[in-house]
């Protein structure tokens, strides 16, 4: 792990800078019919929200999956968002945001744990592909979170390299409040927040946020409803 555990605690708003204000605006404003140009990150966020709404309702459009689209993106990609998500088989970003080929740049590890390769991949999305939005997405009933809770409760180390995941998630367990399922969900959300904090240690990512070329937002995906709730 390349990041420090001594990351300063800051709010989502401070972390995302002014860019988050655009994301927090009502969708009607973000569309900006005839008004000022819509910031790319806000437009990307709007598209993700719209796609997720279609997914929740079972009204998928399956955009950008045609032969023509495949040919369009064969030589060049311009994804609208990067998604750092858990590897869980029920949280596939392209499906839950109803996106197609070339739309999302996706990195997935259990519990969206970071290491140098993950951070380098996220930096590539910003520095080389100029992707304006980065979504860090945890989810309901995350197995990696459960394994961490079990390890801490039992005092037993997780087998093999899975202890690396437990180490990465442990600070979220310390931070989260509540009991039972509420605590479980709060650990997931705290893990999203801590992951975003740790990303600030990347000079490439933090400078992109500071210059408003990148907006980083957290999200919590509900397995039960299909809703991806953006955390602000
Ligand atoms: Zn998970």
């Amino acid at each position: 792990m390349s990041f420090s555990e001594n990351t300063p605690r800051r709010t989502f708003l401070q972390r995302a800078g002014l860019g988050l204000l655009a994301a927090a605006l009502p969708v009607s404003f973000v569309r900006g019919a005839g008004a000022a140009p819509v910031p790319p990150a806000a437009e990307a966020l709007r598209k993700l929200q719209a796609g997720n709404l279609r997914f929740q309702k079972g009204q998928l459009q399956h955009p950008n999956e045609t032969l023509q689209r495949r040919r369009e993106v064969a030589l060049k990609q311009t994804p609208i968002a990067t998604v750092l998500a858990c590897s869980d088989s029920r949280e596939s970003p392209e499906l839950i945001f109803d996106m197609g080929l070339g739309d999302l740049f996706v990195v997935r590890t259990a519990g969206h744990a970071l290491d140098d390769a993950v951070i380098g991949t996220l930096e590539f999305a910003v520095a080389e592909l100029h992707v304006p939005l980065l979504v860090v997405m945890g989810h309901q009933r995350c197995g990696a979170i459960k394994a961490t809770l079990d390890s801490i409760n039992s005092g037993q180390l997780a087998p093999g390299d899975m202890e690396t995941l437990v180490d990465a998630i442990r600070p979220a367990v310390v931070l989260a409040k509540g009991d039972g399922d509420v605590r479980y969900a709060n650990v997931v959300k705290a893990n999203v927040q801590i992951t975003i904090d740790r990303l600030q240690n990347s000079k490439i990512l933090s400078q992109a946020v500071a210059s408003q070329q990148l907006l980083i937002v957290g999200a919590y995906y509900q397995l039960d409803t299909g809703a991806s709730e953006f955390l602000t």
Side-chain angles (χ1 to χ4, degrees):
M1 295 286 172
S2 66
F3 48 78
S4 161
E5 295 292 332
N6 299 320
T7 308
R9 306 287 315 141
R10 288 183 286 178
T11 67
F12 274 66
L13 190 63
Q14 287 170 313
R15 275 191 303 277
L18 294 176
L20 188 56
L21 295 177
L25 291 171
V27 170
S28 58
F29 182 89
V30 173
R31 282 188 180 130
V38 177
E43 176 64 8
L45 194 58
R46 186 194 66 76
K47 286 181 177 175
L48 293 184
Q49 288 171 321
N52 180 243
L53 206 55
R54 294 195 299 273
F55 177 73
Q56 289 177 60
K57 293 176 177 174
Q59 298 172 348
L60 295 171
Q61 293 178 355
H62 299 288
N64 295 335
E65 293 181 7
T66 61
L67 189 62
Q68 183 189 350
R69 174 65 172 180
R70 196 183 77 202
R71 288 173 178 148
E72 281 172 6
V73 299
L75 296 179
K76 185 177 181 357
Q77 60 169 326
T78 53
I80 64 166
T82 300
V83 182
L84 171 61
C86 181
S87 298
D88 193 291
S89 61
R90 304 160 294 179
E91 197 198 24
S92 305
E94 286 89 347
L95 292 174
I96 70 173
F97 293 118
D98 195 19
M99 293 281 144
L101 272 179
D103 288 336
L104 299 179
F105 190 85
V106 176
V107 187
R108 300 176 70 181
T109 60
H112 50 75
L114 299 176
D115 66 11
D116 290 349
V118 170
I119 293 170
T121 306
L122 299 175
E123 289 175 342
F124 177 85
V126 171
E128 300 295 328
L129 301 178
H130 310 294
V131 184
L133 177 67
L134 167 56
V135 179
V136 178
M137 186 166 66
H139 68 98
Q140 188 181 25
R141 299 190 201 99
C142 178
I145 301 290
K146 176 73 163 49
T148 302
L149 288 168
D150 290 346
S151 172
I152 290 172
N153 290 337
S154 68
Q156 302 279 321
L157 290 178
D161 283 345
M162 285 190 282
E163 185 60 23
T164 305
L165 300 174
V166 171
D167 276 344
I169 295 168
R170 185 176 282 112
V173 176
V174 174
L175 196 66
K177 305 271 192 291
D179 297 302
D181 287 347
V182 171
R183 177 171 178 76
Y184 196 170
N186 284 342
V187 175
V188 174
K189 291 174 184 177
N191 192 44
V192 168
Q193 187 172 334
I194 288 169
T195 300
I196 293 175
D197 279 342
R198 288 170 172 165
L199 292 177
Q200 300 303 311
N201 291 331
S202 157
K203 191 175 280 187
I204 289 174
L205 297 180
S206 60
Q207 286 181 349
V209 169
S211 61
Q212 298 188 37
Q213 292 169 19
L214 176 68
L215 173 66
I216 303 178
V217 296
Y220 178 76
Y221 176 64
Q222 298 256 15
L223 296 177
D224 289 340
T225 64
S228 183
E229 166 197 354
F230 288 97
L231 307 169
T232 56

